[in-house]
Amino acid sequence: MPEPNLELGRFAEPSLLILVSLSEGPKHGYAIMTDVEAGTGRPLGPGTLYAALARLEERGLIEALEPVDRRRPYRLTGVGATVLKDQLAHLESFARLGLRRLGAGPG
Amino acid sequence: MIGLLLALYPAPWRRRYGEEFRAVLESRPLGPFDVADVLLGAVDARLAPRLAEGVAEHGGHLAMLRIGGLGAIIGAALWFIGLAGGSNAEDGSDTVWLIVSMLGSVGLLLAFAGLSGFQAHREPRLAWAAFGIPAIGTVVSLVGMAGMAFVPDEQIVGTWSGWGVWVLGLLTTLIGSILFGVATIRAAVFSRRAAIALAASAVAVILVAFGTTGAADPSAARILAAVVVAAFAASWMALGVSALRRGPIRAVVPA
């Protein structure tokens, strides 16, 4: 989950999914939406997508590129990559802790 | 339908995202989930109108970052080359080196402005305080160098010759660079190592300059001065590289 100081509120989870999607290269809005949906199996609505994109862009975690036709690609910035790495590492250790507890708990 | 949904968003938001958002909405048939999601998005955009306006501001910060990073790398290199070339040139044949050094100073001025502008996002008061002194020093040293290059034997400010003005400007720049290094360490935006090296090398340049005046072994003093000045320039370049590395990159997280 994104760091609390990013103050992404209810857009924290979609923001993380968007950052992961952009970690393999620049994508425009629709491509991000379909990539996230394919990766998670859950829909990402256009309203949520752009609310999260605006927040990520404002915080300098992603950057807009020149539009191609009407579609504007976005890419991860260096700051965004660092934040994403930190958050994924945090999630990984949290998941390990949960799995360990499940394994150690009563069956 | 799409036009109606878009109209629910505030005008600044539509100006920034309208076209691409429309393209996304037109990419597939809109279901009830999408419509509800867009309605909530419009409410959010109205509750947080600063978002669309803040994006342009942040784009400015990234531009500052690039200008500052390039200014630091190119400026420090030119400044050092000009200084080294000028110190080895015969009397009266150092104008070209002075001009190179002046161009380097302009680059460093851009670095002070650009990097401070970016750091000001995190530590506004400290960053701008650390910008003011070195920037003034760099401008003063530029005036001094211009004096040395174009009116070498004349007093350009009161009783001060170009050389005197340059030394005053350089000293101010060095003191400002120490402050700038401290501000950079505090802001933790750029490389801490480069910031520490910048502050330390600026201190070393001042100590060597004053400590070796009238030294018994001028050639040893000259080598020592060259080493600390080179370290100062290299620190600026390292800071510039670290600033540029904060810019956009394609992919950083292994699959």
Side-chain angles (χ1 to χ4, degrees):
Chain A
M1 195 155 297
E3 291 170 356
N5 63 4
L6 289 175
E7 294 170 1
L8 289 165
R10 69 189 177 90
F11 296 103
E13 190 189 346
S15 297
L16 182 61
L17 297 174
I18 290 168
L19 290 178
V20 170
S21 177
L22 293 178
S23 67
E24 69 172 5
K27 288 189 185 75
H28 55 70
Y30 184 66
I32 296 171
M33 216 160 77
T34 51
D35 185 47
V36 167
E37 287 175 356
T40 63
R42 286 186 298 163
L44 174 65
T48 303
L49 170 71
Y50 272 85
L53 281 177
R55 284 166 171 79
L56 291 170
E57 197 181 5
E58 190 211 26
R59 286 157 176 78
L61 305 185
I62 63 170
E63 184 187 42
L65 303 175
E66 282 303 307
V68 180
D69 295 330
R70 288 181 304 152
R71 295 175 163 184
R72 186 188 291 276
Y74 291 86
R75 68 179 168 193
L76 212 54
T77 63
V79 182
T82 307
V83 167
L84 177 60
K85 269 184 183 173
D86 289 348
Q87 288 175 6
L88 291 178
H90 178 70
L91 277 176
E92 191 181 28
S93 65
F94 190 66
R96 267 202 306 268
L97 173 72
L99 287 170
R100 203 165 51 239
R101 285 182 178 175
L102 273 175
Chain B
M1 175 69 161
I2 288 174
L4 193 66
L5 288 172
L6 267 172
L8 297 173
Y9 281 81
W13 194 97
R14 286 201 305 271
R15 276 196 294 277
R16 169 61 186 84
Y17 296 106
E19 275 300 294
E20 55 183 294
F21 192 57
R22 179 185 282 275
V24 168
L25 295 180
E26 287 171 355
S27 297
R28 65 182 182 191
L30 290 177
F33 165 78
D34 292 320
V35 173
D37 189 68
V38 171
L39 288 174
L40 286 173
V43 172
D44 172 70
R46 293 213 170 262
L47 292 175
R50 66 183 171 80
L51 281 177
E53 290 154 14
V55 166
E57 185 195 339
H58 187 78
H61 280 116
L62 283 178
M64 278 185 203
L65 183 68
R66 292 192 181 111
I67 290 169
L70 286 173
I73 295 168
I74 299 168
L78 288 178
W79 180 81
F80 178 73
I81 290 168
L83 212 61
S87 67
N88 289 317
E90 298 289 325
D91 278 351
S93 65
D94 55 357
T95 306
V96 173
W97 296 114
L98 279 168
I99 291 171
V100 171
S101 206
M102 283 169 72
L103 290 173
S105 295
V106 171
L108 287 180
L109 197 57
L110 288 175
F112 279 124
L115 301 186
S116 295
F118 193 76
Q119 290 193 132
H121 208 43
R122 291 270 180 98
E123 293 260 357
R125 287 183 187 170
L126 184 62
W128 287 112
F131 162 72
I133 293 174
I136 290 168
T138 307
V139 170
V140 172
S141 74
L142 264 171
V143 172
M145 281 189 277
M148 284 194 284
F150 304 114
V151 282
D153 301 320
E154 291 178 30
Q155 296 164 337
I156 58 167
V157 181
T159 57
W160 291 65
S161 65
W163 188 84
V165 173
W166 174 70
V167 170
L168 179 69
L170 181 61
L171 183 62
T172 313
T173 304
L174 290 167
I175 292 169
S177 295
I178 298 168
L179 266 180
F180 188 84
V182 172
T184 304
I185 294 164
R186 289 277 304 275
V189 172
F190 306 121
S191 160
R192 286 172 72 89
R193 278 187 195 173
I196 292 167
L198 179 69
S201 61
V203 170
V205 172
I206 294 171
L207 291 178
V208 168
F210 283 104
T212 58
T213 306
D217 185 354
S219 62
R222 209 175 151 90
I223 291 168
L224 190 58
V227 168
V228 291
V229 167
F232 178 69
S235 305
W236 264 117
M237 293 171 77
L239 207 55
V241 169
S242 111
L244 292 182
R245 278 186 179 164
R246 292 197 72 90
I249 51 173
R250 280 184 184 281
V252 287
V253 178

